[in-house]
Amino acid sequence: MSRSTDPSTEQLKQAMDKSMNLVRSEMGDAEFKRFSDLIQTELGIKMPPSKKVLLQSRFQKRLRALGMSGYKEYCDYVFSEAGREQERMHLIDVVTTNTTHFFREPKHWDIMNNIVLPELWSRGVGRSSALRIWSAGCSSGEEPYTLGMVLHEWGASRQGFDFTILATDISQKILAEAKRAVYSMDKVEDVPMQYKKKYMLKSKDKQLVKMDACLRNKVSFQRLNFMEDFRLQNSQNIIFCRNVVIYFDRSTQEVLFNKFCNNLQPGGYLFIGHSESLSGMTLPIRQVAPTVFQRL
């Protein structure tokens, strides 16, 4: 009498075989072009043919999660009505890069404390009305919470100082992570010890920290796609958009920085990443320090 194969074992074997076949499969040129055109149109991110292998590897997890046999099937789904409603946000999460850390680019914080904040304060910003600052492309929240710590410290010796922070990103998944405001200890290594003690709460096992409520209450998170014709509810006094547009082509960058200027008050400040440049762009700004500009 022959023994029948355990159904669960057989299903596992089939799933493993399917997964191995998927790993060995390749994305066709037609599918890659459809994906790259979509990514550049909707996200502004350049996706040249040299990125095909990268895109292929990033999509594999989604194909496995959906139980799909190959990239053509996934492509057809993404461009279907159901895919537009249910999969596009997952695709955005897979494609976008979220690299950040606390107190990134230290010179910017010196410029904030010694030039930008004193100049705005002298004009009554933060006193007669709250200082408004926007972290554009906030990723998992390290930048807006760093801003919160810097502004809290600066305002501690200035009676009546007040501020609000708007933090935006295109990824709903990364925004949810930022709102949690929970980080592993290795993520906060660059935070000065006095700030850790004052603004971070340790978990019982001391493996995680949570940002204090005094910071969380100052930051509002919102999803925003730079490719849309957006207009913020309030113009900003300071905008941080650092190492976000490096994935865009030059013409898209100029359009985007003009959008930022349209949402920045005259006399307000724009901070960009040290790997970025506004050289040759027609913008209503003047440079006040490397990668720091003031709205005219």
Side-chain angles (χ1 to χ4, degrees):
M1 183 175 180
S2 62
R3 184 174 61 185
S4 61
T5 304
D6 182 353
S8 61
T9 302
E10 183 63 27
Q11 288 172 0
L12 179 60
K13 181 178 181 300
Q14 290 175 358
M16 291 178 65
D17 289 343
K18 186 174 183 180
S19 176
M20 289 301 295
N21 288 334
L22 177 58
V23 171
R24 288 194 295 265
S25 68
E26 291 187 5
M27 185 186 298
D29 291 341
E31 288 75 51
F32 175 75
K33 186 176 188 312
R34 292 184 77 189
F35 282 130
S36 62
D37 288 348
L38 172 69
I39 291 165
Q40 179 142 13
T41 299
E42 295 206 358
L43 306 181
I45 299 174
K46 296 179 293 182
M47 196 61 60
S50 60
K51 299 288 186 181
K52 180 179 174 181
V53 173
L54 173 65
L55 193 65
Q56 186 173 286
S57 65
R58 289 191 175 188
F59 281 173
Q60 284 183 2
K61 186 175 181 180
R62 289 306 303 158
L63 269 67
R64 290 193 178 102
L66 294 166
M68 292 184 172
S69 59
Y71 296 99
K72 185 180 186 307
E73 183 181 0
Y74 182 60
C75 185
D76 290 340
Y77 175 58
V78 167
F79 285 90
S80 69
E81 184 176 348
R84 281 191 291 270
E85 294 178 359
Q86 301 171 24
E87 183 61 22
R88 289 289 174 93
M89 291 307 302
H90 292 293
L91 184 146
I92 289 170
D93 290 338
V94 167
V95 170
T96 51
T97 301
N98 297 292
T99 303
T100 186
H101 54 80
F102 287 96
F103 287 90
R104 190 178 192 178
E105 300 185 4
K107 288 184 179 180
H108 279 167
W109 310 113
D110 292 336
I111 293 169
M112 276 280 286
N113 282 316
N114 299 321
I115 299 175
V116 172
L117 293 175
E119 196 277 326
L120 290 173
W121 179 252
S122 71
R123 291 194 271 122
V125 178
R127 178 168 29 193
S128 58
S129 61
L131 181 149
R132 292 191 292 271
I133 186 164
W134 175 22
S135 171
C138 67
S139 188
S140 46
E142 286 89 336
E143 182 176 86
Y145 292 127
T146 298
L147 285 165
M149 286 185 274
V150 169
L151 293 169
H152 259 289
E153 289 297 303
W154 194 85
S157 60
R158 292 164 178 85
Q159 187 175 3
F161 179 72
D162 191 20
F163 66 91
T164 63
I165 300 171
L166 171 65
T168 69
D169 203 278
I170 192 171
S171 169
Q172 294 280 25
K173 180 180 179 182
I174 206 69
L175 283 172
E177 186 176 329
K179 289 177 185 177
R180 285 184 64 232
V182 175
Y183 301 93
S184 58
M185 292 301 294
D186 63 298
K187 293 284 188 181
V188 301
E189 286 180 352
D190 294 330
V191 179
M193 182 54 68
Q194 67 267 29
Y195 288 6
K196 290 180 185 177
K197 292 179 179 179
K198 190 172 182 179
Y199 298 111
M200 298 181 180
L201 309 173
K202 285 185 180 180
S203 60
K204 290 182 179 180
D205 60 8
K206 298 185 179 181
Q207 298 300 306
L208 301 171
V209 297
K210 186 178 181 70
M211 306 310 296
D212 190 85
C214 70
L215 296 186
R216 301 198 312 271
N217 293 339
K218 285 293 186 181
V219 184
S220 61
F221 291 95
Q222 177 182 323
R223 183 180 180 273
L224 188 145
N225 185 344
F226 290 156
M227 294 301 99
E228 296 173 357
D229 187 19
F230 61 85
R231 190 78 182 193
L232 301 182
Q233 185 176 358
N234 297 299
S235 58
Q236 304 295 300
N237 301 114
I238 303 172
I239 297 176
F240 270 65
C241 185
R242 304 184 301 170
N243 303 308
V244 176
V245 305
I246 54 176
Y247 305 103
F248 301 170
D249 62 39
R250 194 67 175 169
S251 60
T252 302
Q253 290 179 8
E254 185 168 0
V255 169
L256 180 56
F257 280 119
N258 269 293
K259 290 180 182 178
F260 288 153
C261 290
N262 290 337
N263 287 279
L264 186 61
Q265 286 194 354
Y269 292 86
L270 170 66
F271 287 73
I272 67 172
H274 289 299
S275 60
E276 298 165 332
S277 171
L278 304 185
S279 177
M281 295 185 185
T282 303
L283 301 168
I285 55 176
R286 69 178 186 91
Q287 186 169 354
V288 297
T291 65
V292 182
F293 303 83
Q294 188 173 31
R295 176 76 158 85
L296 299 175

